[in-house]
């Protein structure tokens, strides 16, 4: 079986990958910095609980079973770990992470987004009061932790500045 994937951004094609599927591997053909590249990705299978088999991609760099591989800056496909890829939230400092979690709870549980005019003080229609109070408590806890962690960080900066002077 042979097929082609095209990646696009803002309706502009930016990368095409031709994939030839073999019995135990995929053959990827693509361009990287104007150079034609070809990479073989090994496939492996494991048994599932109900008798079927699960197919995995094998990272060519570390040899681990993965569900997805990514095109790295050196032009080869590898797993997130080998490429050092992280999610945005993983690169946040502790106080930013708690602010992010509070915003996430507001958006998912209470449908609050910036500019939509909804406040934490407005309980969504149909939500039980006890559930609403638990959610508000979680939001307050994350916001308080964020403020405390920020103040600890700021105090440490002031202390270092005082030691420097």
């Amino acid at each position: 079986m042979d097929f082609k994937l095209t990646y696009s951004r803002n309706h502009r094609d930016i990368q095409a990958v031709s994939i030839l599927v073999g019995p135990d591997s995929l053959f990827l053909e693509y361009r990287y910095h104007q150079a034609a590249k070809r990479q073989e990705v090994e496939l492996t299978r494991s048994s599932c609980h109900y008798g079927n088999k699960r197919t995995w991609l094998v990272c060519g760099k570390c040899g681990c079973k993965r569900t997805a591989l990514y095109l790295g800056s050196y032009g080869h496909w590898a797993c997130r770990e080998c490429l050092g890829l992280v999610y945005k939230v993983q690169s946040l400092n502790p106080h930013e992470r708690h602010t992010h979690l509070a915003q996430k709870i507001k958006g998912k549980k209470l449908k609050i987004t910036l500019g939509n005019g909804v406040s934490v003080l407005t309980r969504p229609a149909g939500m039980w009061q006890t559930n609403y109070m638990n959610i508000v408590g979680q939001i307050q806890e994350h916001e308080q932790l964020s403020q405390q962690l920020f103040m600890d960080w700021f105090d440490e900066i002031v202390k270092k500045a005082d030691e420097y002077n």
Side-chain angles (χ1 to χ4, degrees):
M1 182 180 347
D2 189 12
F3 58 96
K4 188 177 206 171
L5 290 175
T6 304
Y7 295 95
S8 60
R9 184 181 303 143
N10 298 329
H11 305 292
R12 288 188 57 219
D13 292 348
I14 57 172
Q15 178 71 290
V17 180
S18 292
I19 303 169
L20 176 64
V21 180
D24 295 320
S25 59
L26 301 176
F27 296 94
L28 309 175
E29 293 179 352
Y30 54 98
R31 299 192 73 72
Y32 186 78
H33 293 294
Q34 307 307 323
K37 296 273 192 172
R38 182 177 169 96
Q39 181 177 345
E40 181 179 359
V41 176
E42 184 184 340
L43 299 174
T44 187
R45 291 168 182 82
S46 61
S47 297
C48 295
H49 291 290
Y50 297 107
N52 289 333
K53 295 239 183 231
R54 167 86 188 252
T55 302
W56 300 90
L57 303 168
V58 177
C59 175
K61 200 161 182 174
C62 67
C64 292
K65 297 188 288 188
R66 303 294 184 194
T67 57
L69 298 178
Y70 303 86
L71 183 60
S73 59
Y74 54 90
H76 284 80
W77 295 81
C79 67
R80 293 180 67 84
E81 205 169 296
C82 290
L83 295 175
L85 301 176
V86 296
Y87 294 103
K88 181 182 175 184
V89 73
Q90 291 174 302
S91 61
L92 298 176
N93 63 43
H95 83 85
E96 289 173 328
R97 192 171 290 190
H98 283 287
T99 299
H100 172 79
L101 288 170
Q103 292 299 328
K104 188 175 177 179
I105 293 169
K106 286 178 186 178
K108 286 193 175 216
K109 304 276 179 136
L110 301 181
K111 308 294 186 237
I112 297 172
T113 58
L114 290 175
N116 74 350
V118 178
S119 110
V120 176
L121 301 174
T122 307
R123 179 171 53 96
M127 182 179 283
W128 289 62
Q129 181 71 24
T130 53
N131 190 21
Y132 170 71
M133 294 308 292
N134 287 336
I135 292 168
V136 170
Q138 290 173 5
I139 292 168
Q140 289 174 336
E141 184 178 333
H142 284 298
E143 288 177 342
Q144 288 169 354
L145 279 168
S146 176
Q147 290 171 356
Q148 184 59 51
L149 289 165
F150 177 79
M151 292 309 295
D152 293 346
W153 172 81
F154 188 74
D155 290 344
E156 195 65 33
I157 296 293
V158 170
K159 188 190 301 183
K160 286 181 182 178
D162 290 343
E163 290 172 3
Y164 181 74
N165 293 326

